[in-house]
Amino acid sequence: MAQPLPAARRGKRMTPARWGLYAFIFITALYFLLPLYVMVVTSLKPMAEIRQGNLLALPAAPSIDAWVKAWTSACTGLTCQGIKIGFLNSLRILVPSVVISILVGSLTGYALSLWRVRGANILFGAMMVVAFIPYQVFIYPLVRLFSFAGLGQSLLTIVIIHTIFGFPTMTLLFRNYFASLPVELFKAARVDGAGFYQIYAQIMMPMATPMIVVAVILQTTGIWNDFILGLVFAGRDNLPMTVQLNNIVNSTQGERAYNVDMAATLLTALLPLAVYFGSGRWFVRGIAAGAVKG
Amino acid sequence: MRLSLNSRLSVISALLPALLVMLVVYVGATSWTVWMSLTNSRMLPNNNFVGLRQYEMLLGNDRWITSVHNIIIYGVLFVSLALLIGFLLAVAIDQRVRAEDTIRSIYLYPYSMSFVVTGLVWQWLLNPTLGIQHVLRSWGFEGATFDWIVRPETAIYCLVIAGVWQASGLVMAIMLAGLRGVDDEIWKAARVDGLPKWRVYVSIIIPMMGASFATAAVLLSTGVVRLYDLSVAMTNGGPGIASEVPAKFVMDHLFERANIGLATAAATTMLITVIAVVAPYLYWRARKGEMR
């Protein structure tokens, strides 16, 4: 976005209109930052201070006790082992789901874009429609299918489920990318006698690095933030962090430990926030690529 | 180029997962859900055809009616507010402001977080005893009330507040891309004509950004139908059934209330609604040739 701009739009002088503009930006920025700020300060206060009710005040004596408790000993239902269990579960779900969904999606996108397959457009169009359909339509039959297949609720089941529901977006992403590459590249490889999988692995995937980065960002935040699929398909021993977080906060008996709740909430948001702030413009690229779907 | 038998087999093997998923999961599972909605299945699926009776039951079900009512309120407010706020934010950023990247990051970061996190934070902020209401009162506004989350008639608006907070940044990102695509000649011509800036936006720029608005609106709308996590985490449908939503109705009737027939009838209703919204849009896009 570095193209030269006409002087009229550069407007460096601080006119009243520009003061108004900056005031608007400042106030809206406060609105967006307020929840994050409140989460952080609440998580650093002891309960006695929270009960006094100064939501916005900085902690008098910041302490990480609530964080330690949230991580190691907060109760989710009957067990009190903290949210670290959920964190590890989410990691175990995340890594294979991201890898497999990207492999399958890129291979499908590659086959649909570069190889002339009869019915490719129909298959692709159908996948795009399906991407909009609410999960509730599929969930019950899938639960039955997996229990019939003997998988039940398990780590493998939830990985397959994430691969299935990431399929349309991943396919779209890679299909459009491969279709934008110069076709001569593909033809030259064919003339040299390279086969289908050889071209995919040795030529196309190395060239698709930017799309792989985008796909990793999209899938990582999407799968980490998932709640409903993990709840239904992961099983009691593999519940992801979002589900455990909700259990910690919403099924507490007696007085709520708001500081622990907020620490647990922040811990759950940590990975997507790190991905977001670490990836910068790539995150926006991912949204834009995913938005093509919508 | 003609394909050899070998490459033909390779292509087919590569497309096998897609075909399998389409047929078994999408076509198969969807048909089964629709079929179940025509039976009187309770805890276990059965094949006793009862016609549209589950749909009649659905229409007489208070909780479903409340859910539909809520999702309409939520959908209209959430989509229009997110579009409005997102557009204003994009216009503000497009004025060549300082620290643009930082401001953009601030507007967009909520979108990276889950609905569960969003719901829990706003539950805490809107908590009348210790949250924003308490802050306002401690600032001297003694009579200030902001207890929407505990009042049945206003709880759904709390979901709107949280949803808009989470998604406005997404609209901003889409709109900003659209605004940056506007030809500078238009701005020059408008300046020569002496048009005030806001007139240029209202009369020229907004009509030009139809595609950006459509993309954002469709993205937001699909999120509306799926709304589930936010309701579970923020209010758990409460107080009472005041903030129930259709997706939650389906889940609860499938897994807690053991009423598969009713749940699948609700799911099928959601499916039909989505298709009615999405099909014209995809058709419009296909005609514009954007699907390639």
Side-chain angles (χ1 to χ4, degrees):
Chain A
M1 302 298 156
Q3 74 263 45
L5 293 150
R9 292 183 72 193
R10 214 176 289 143
K12 280 268 157 68
R13 277 172 304 123
M14 289 303 284
T15 60
R18 274 195 90 70
W19 278 111
L21 174 71
Y22 276 106
F24 173 77
I25 288 176
F26 183 72
I27 291 167
T28 46
L30 278 188
Y31 165 68
F32 283 96
L33 283 175
L34 176 77
L36 187 62
Y37 170 78
V38 170
M39 266 196 279
V40 174
V41 293
T42 305
S43 73
L44 297 173
K45 292 175 186 171
M47 271 313 285
E49 200 179 338
I50 293 173
R51 268 183 236 113
Q52 288 165 12
N54 235 335
L55 186 74
L56 301 179
L58 285 166
S63 129
I64 58 159
D65 290 354
W67 285 71
V68 174
K69 195 166 174 229
W71 181 253
T72 58
S73 65
C75 299
T76 67
L78 292 176
T79 52
C80 294
Q81 293 174 287
I83 202 157
K84 66 172 187 295
I85 310 283
F87 181 83
L88 294 175
N89 287 345
S90 277
L91 269 188
R92 286 192 302 149
I93 294 169
L94 182 75
V95 175
S97 302
V98 169
V99 172
I100 296 172
S101 65
I102 290 176
L103 275 180
V104 178
S106 60
L107 189 64
T108 311
Y110 159 73
L112 286 177
S113 59
L114 295 176
W115 295 77
R116 278 182 299 163
V117 189
R118 214 178 305 153
N121 282 333
I122 297 173
L123 183 66
F124 183 68
M127 286 181 98
M128 288 309 99
V129 177
V130 159
F132 291 98
I133 296 177
Y135 293 149
Q136 281 74 23
V137 175
F138 310 120
I139 270 185
Y140 189 69
L142 287 179
V143 167
R144 302 288 300 183
L145 184 73
F146 279 98
S147 82
F148 179 73
L151 291 170
Q153 297 177 315
S154 65
L155 194 60
L156 181 60
T157 303
I158 184 69
V159 170
I160 296 174
I161 287 287
H162 278 308
T163 306
I164 289 174
F165 287 113
F167 214 150
T169 313
M170 291 298 106
T171 303
L172 171 92
L173 216 62
F174 284 97
R175 174 189 177 269
N176 287 355
Y177 184 75
F178 288 135
S180 73
L181 295 177
V183 72
E184 284 70 30
L185 203 81
F186 172 69
K187 282 186 178 156
R190 291 283 313 276
V191 171
D192 287 347
F196 179 89
Y197 285 103
Q198 224 177 340
I199 299 178
Y200 167 76
Q202 292 174 6
I203 300 175
M204 291 303 158
M205 282 314 266
M207 290 196 66
T209 316
M211 269 307 108
I212 296 174
V213 175
V214 166
V216 168
I217 293 171
L218 266 183
Q219 287 296 82
T220 304
T221 48
I223 292 170
W224 191 270
N225 288 340
D226 159 67
F227 175 78
I228 187 170
L229 298 176
L231 179 69
V232 175
F233 293 100
R236 192 178 292 261
D237 296 333
N238 305 302
L239 287 178
M241 203 172 187
T242 47
V243 176
Q244 297 222 319
L245 171 68
N246 189 51
N247 288 345
I248 288 179
V249 178
N250 281 332
S251 56
T252 320
Q253 310 287 325
E255 196 203 31
R256 287 270 199 67
Y258 294 111
N259 50 359
V260 177
D261 288 357
M262 284 302 113
T265 309
L266 271 171
L267 283 166
T268 311
L270 223 47
L271 185 119
L273 281 177
V275 169
Y276 172 70
F277 284 110
S279 63
R281 298 245 160 144
W282 285 95
F283 185 84
V284 180
R285 259 191 90 171
I287 293 180
V292 178
K293 165 188 91 183
Chain B
M1 250 183 280
R2 273 181 28 134
L3 297 186
S4 66
L5 180 67
N6 207 343
S7 359
R8 226 176 256 260
L9 285 176
S10 305
V11 176
I12 292 172
S13 68
L15 288 178
L16 219 53
L19 276 172
L20 204 71
V21 167
M22 279 310 299
L23 289 179
V24 176
V25 179
Y26 296 153
V27 178
T30 308
S31 320
W32 208 52
T33 294
V34 175
W35 168 243
M36 278 297 115
S37 76
L38 303 173
T39 69
N40 64 358
S41 303
R42 296 286 301 189
M43 207 169 99
L44 290 171
N46 66 43
N47 288 323
N48 303 332
F49 182 76
V50 293
L52 295 176
R53 215 170 72 201
Q54 299 289 4
Y55 293 86
E56 280 168 35
M57 305 266 281
L58 204 56
L59 291 177
N61 185 309
D62 278 350
R63 205 170 145 184
W64 174 251
I65 300 298
T66 306
S67 302
V68 172
H69 192 78
N70 278 341
I71 207 68
I72 293 171
I73 295 178
Y74 178 86
V76 170
L77 288 177
F78 167 74
V79 172
S80 48
L81 284 175
L83 282 179
L84 178 71
I85 295 174
F87 180 72
L88 289 177
L89 297 178
V91 169
I93 288 183
D94 198 37
Q95 306 306 311
R96 303 288 137 189
V97 293
R98 266 166 245 205
E100 183 191 308
D101 283 351
T102 313
I103 297 166
R104 256 191 348 186
S105 305
I106 292 174
Y107 290 159
L108 189 57
Y109 88 88
Y111 189 69
S112 72
M113 302 202 293
S114 62
F115 272 133
V116 176
V117 167
T118 304
L120 295 177
V121 177
W122 281 97
Q123 185 196 64
W124 171 227
L125 285 169
L126 297 175
N127 167 338
T129 23
L130 295 170
I132 293 172
Q133 173 175 301
H134 187 87
V135 171
L136 290 175
R137 287 187 182 172
S138 71
W139 282 352
F141 303 98
E142 292 297 337
T145 38
F146 192 32
D147 56 354
W148 289 5
I149 202 165
V150 294
R151 299 215 339 247
E153 62 280 19
T154 47
I156 187 69
Y157 300 109
C158 295
L159 267 62
V160 176
I161 295 175
V164 168
W165 176 79
Q166 207 245 7
S168 295
L170 166 74
V171 179
M172 179 275 298
I174 294 169
M175 294 292 175
L176 192 58
L179 286 173
R180 292 279 153 88
V182 171
D183 194 344
D184 274 332
E185 293 300 318
I186 289 173
W187 284 105
K188 279 186 199 154
R191 210 158 62 89
V192 171
D193 286 348
L195 276 179
K197 221 167 184 179
W198 66 269
R199 273 298 305 274
V200 184
Y201 275 109
V202 172
S203 316
I204 304 173
I205 306 292
I206 292 180
M208 282 176 67
M209 299 215 345
S212 301
F213 275 98
T215 302
V218 171
L219 267 184
L220 295 171
S221 312
T222 54
V224 170
V225 188
R226 289 185 171 169
L227 184 70
Y228 172 74
D229 319 8
L230 195 59
S231 172
V232 170
M234 206 167 160
T235 58
N236 201 16
I241 57 165
S243 56
E244 290 287 342
V245 289
K248 189 164 174 296
F249 182 94
V250 175
M251 297 299 287
D252 291 352
H253 281 77
L254 279 180
F255 298 109
E256 278 161 36
R257 299 174 158 233
N259 194 340
I260 293 168
L262 196 63
T264 48
T268 308
T269 309
M270 291 172 72
L271 171 71
I272 293 167
T273 314
V274 170
I275 290 176
V277 173
V278 168
Y281 171 73
L282 287 179
Y283 178 73
W284 172 74
R285 282 192 72 120
R287 278 199 53 170
K288 276 185 70 187
E290 284 186 24
M291 295 277 287
R292 268 173 296 173

